[in-house]
Amino acid sequence: MTGNGKRGSAVIDERSWYLANELLAFLIEIAALGLLCWWGFTASGSAAANVLLGLGAPAVAAVLWWLFAAPRAPLRPPLPGVLIVKALVLGGGALALYGIGHPVGALVMAVVTIVNITVAEVFRRPAPGGAQPVPKVARPGG
C-alpha cells in the first residue's frame, strides 16, 4: 500500500487472480469431460463399446462432479473427499489424454490442474490473523 491507503501498481489485486484461476478451473473441467469423451469414442474396436464409453465416461464424471465437487453440490463432503473427486475427474481427463496418445499434453494438463486446485484452495482458506478469504463471487463495483 502507498501512503494514501491505496494499493500501489506493483501490488497484485487478489480478486483478479482468483477470478482468473476460477475461469481456468472451469476450462479444465470442460476439457476433462471432452477428453473423456474423446478417449471413450476411440478406446475400443467395437462401435457399441465406443459409443457407450464415449458418452458414459463423461456422464459418470459429470454426475460425480455435480454430486460431490460442484460449489453447490448436494452431497458436498469435507475437503479431502472433494479433492478425491477432483482427482478422479480431472485426473481422468489427463489419463484420457495420455490414453489417446498425447503423453506430454497429459503431463501438462496434470501439472496445470494440480497448480490450479492448489491455488484455489489457498484462496479459499482464511488468511493468518483471521482475515477473510477472497469471496467466491465478485461484487459489482467492488
Side-chain angles (χ1 to χ4, degrees), residues 3 14 28 33 38 43 69 112:
E14 290 178 0
I28 292 169
L33 293 176
W38 183 7
V112 169

Side-chain angles (χ1 to χ4, degrees), residues 108-136:
V108 169
M109 183 171 179
V111 169
V112 169
T113 299
I114 290 167
V115 169
N116 175 263
I117 291 171
T118 302
V119 169
E121 293 309 320
V122 166
F123 270 101
R124 286 187 185 109
R125 289 199 180 112
Q132 293 296 316
V134 176
K136 288 188 176 183

Side-chain angles (χ1 to χ4, degrees), residues 3-131:
N4 61 7
K6 294 183 181 181
R7 289 184 172 196
S9 61
V11 176
I12 297 171
D13 182 2
E14 290 178 0
R15 285 179 301 183
S16 298
W17 281 100
Y18 177 82
L19 292 174
N21 197 59
E22 289 297 299
L23 175 61
L24 178 60
F26 177 71
L27 294 174
I28 292 169
E29 294 159 19
I30 297 301
L33 293 176
L35 290 167
L36 287 167
C37 185
W38 183 7
W39 167 81
F41 278 114
T42 60
S44 165
S46 163
N50 284 353
V51 170
L52 184 62
L53 287 171
L55 298 176
V60 168
V63 168
L64 280 173
W65 194 270
W66 169 71
L67 282 173
F68 304 109
R72 293 186 178 136
L75 303 173
R76 187 143 176 122
L79 181 60
V82 173
L83 293 176
I84 288 170
V85 171
K86 288 184 176 189
L88 287 171
V89 173
L90 303 177
L95 285 174
L97 189 55
Y98 181 83
I100 55 178
H102 299 282
V104 174
L107 179 62
V108 169
M109 183 171 179
V111 169
V112 169
T113 299
I114 290 167
V115 169
N116 175 263
I117 291 171
T118 302
V119 169
E121 293 309 320
V122 166
F123 270 101
R124 286 187 185 109
R125 289 199 180 112

